[in-house]
Amino acid sequence: MGAMELFFVDGEISTQVEELAQFIGQQNQSAASFAAEVAQSSDPVQAVLTASQGVLPKVSEDKVEAAYNQLFAIARTGESGIDGVAAAVAKDISANAESGVAGLRVLNNLYNLANAAQLTVFSEMVVLAVRVNMLPTLVPLVSQLPKLLAGWTGSAQQKADVVLELRNALDGAQLGNEAYATELVFLEAIGASDARAAKVATSAIVRFANLSAVCDLDALASLDNVQELSQNGQLGSAGELLNALLECDFEQWQKYAAANADALKELGVDADKATDKIRLLTVASIAAEHLGEDVPFSKVSQAIGVEEDDIEMWIIDVVRSGLMQGKMNQVTRSLVPTRSTYRRFGADQWSLLAERLDQWKASLEALQPVIGNAKLVAQQQAMQMAGQAQVTIKE
């Protein structure tokens, strides 16, 4: 969450209540009478808190934050503290704030002051951001969701509801990449025990197939809850799609896509985007098998079913996606991959990594005598030069 705006309120609590009561009364042209009414109340603090509903959210943008700062200072002295009023205040702001910027700023302050009510305040921040079309301001919080979830007070059901509320809001704002990232958080943090887990996993698998900017398949496939759902047969055709994305090269994908065209359409898979995704993954797989080796463009073009003249653009796309690093040699028309990402990092990949580490270790051991000889020669040359050096002090 963003940093809280610091605020300082002076005076006794009774004075603060009176000042805020006068301010609220001014909004209704009844400052004096309302302040007197609050003063005569058996619980002036609660009276002013109740009176603020529907009034403070509509205060001008330059005054609304200061007014709420005073309200929060008063609430902190009450029996239930900030958490006791946070839900009502947050709902009032999300429903009635006339300035989205000021409203989100106040809710951010309230979130940082609250403890048990943080989950509720966050939910109302999402509601307000959707209402005022400012959802992109919450995008940076997606990466912080695991940490936020761990700190929130509430049941697993309540946490799941808020995560899906944010996912749905991001979806509605056409922020597909962020919605996908939110689904990964749900699947990792909430668990397969939630009744909606299979539906969320299905959505995430389809998003992966359709989103061109999302290429790290292992981040989805390696989740324990996704594996559990798939093994239990709870993902249906989406589970088959996930296996195809994990295992198929381009030729195998074409056969799978043709045989399951109706199922893919029903899932909402964009056939063209999914096929392009498989092309990227296939190039990365070829690169992983030939690290440090020359891979002819002709081999890559044949593997992904495109013209050889177009292969450089596809390689650039694979590099841009983060799946691979390497160099292209236009003279030999070949690719030399230096790093590549596996679709699934399992036992075979660990075995291959161990083999390469052994090779690297053997190469270093073979270099040790060479390095030792070089050091010895350098030392001998230094001694010879030291013997030849003369220092003359002129009297």
Side-chain angles (χ1 to χ4, degrees), residues 8-69:
F8 304 92
V9 181
D10 296 325
E12 296 292 330
I13 189 64
S14 58
T15 304
Q16 295 177 34
V17 169
E18 182 181 356
E19 289 176 352
L20 186 57
Q22 289 179 347
F23 180 78
I24 293 173
Q26 286 173 359
Q27 312 310 307
N28 299 320
Q29 287 78 45
S30 58
S33 60
F34 180 70
E37 181 181 332
V38 168
Q40 295 170 6
S41 170
S42 60
D43 188 350
V45 172
Q46 186 58 48
V48 78
L49 290 172
T50 302
S52 70
Q53 298 289 299
V55 177
L56 290 190
K58 298 178 180 180
V59 171
S60 61
E61 186 172 348
D62 61 323
K63 296 180 180 178
V64 65
E65 190 170 7
Y68 270 108
N69 286 346

Side-chain angles (χ1 to χ4, degrees), residues 223-286:
L223 293 175
D224 291 339
N225 292 319
V226 172
Q227 293 178 9
E228 180 182 340
L229 291 166
S230 181
Q231 291 167 2
N232 293 340
Q234 294 174 260
L235 298 182
S237 56
E240 296 174 2
L241 170 60
L242 178 60
N243 289 332
L245 290 167
L246 284 166
E247 305 294 343
C248 288
D249 59 20
F250 178 70
E251 184 177 353
Q252 293 167 334
W253 169 264
Q254 286 185 305
K255 294 177 182 178
Y256 164 80
N260 297 274
D262 292 340
L264 293 175
K265 184 177 180 180
E266 186 176 349
L267 283 171
V269 175
D270 186 311
D272 292 336
K273 291 180 179 178
T275 298
D276 286 346
K277 180 65 66 67
I278 284 291
R279 284 190 167 105
L280 298 178
L281 295 173
T282 299
V283 174
S285 295
I286 293 172

Side-chain angles (χ1 to χ4, degrees), residues 69-93:
N69 286 346
Q70 187 153 5
L71 178 67
F72 297 156
I74 293 170
R76 294 178 77 175
T77 67
E79 216 174 283
S80 55
I82 285 288
D83 285 325
V85 303
V89 172
K91 289 180 183 297
D92 185 33
I93 295 171

Side-chain angles (χ1 to χ4, degrees), residues 155-179:
S155 66
Q157 174 78 24
Q158 291 172 320
K159 293 179 180 181
D161 289 345
V162 171
V163 173
L164 291 183
E165 179 184 25
L166 177 59
R167 187 280 306 266
N168 294 339
L170 292 167
D171 222 4
Q174 305 298 311
L175 296 169
N177 294 341
E178 290 75 16

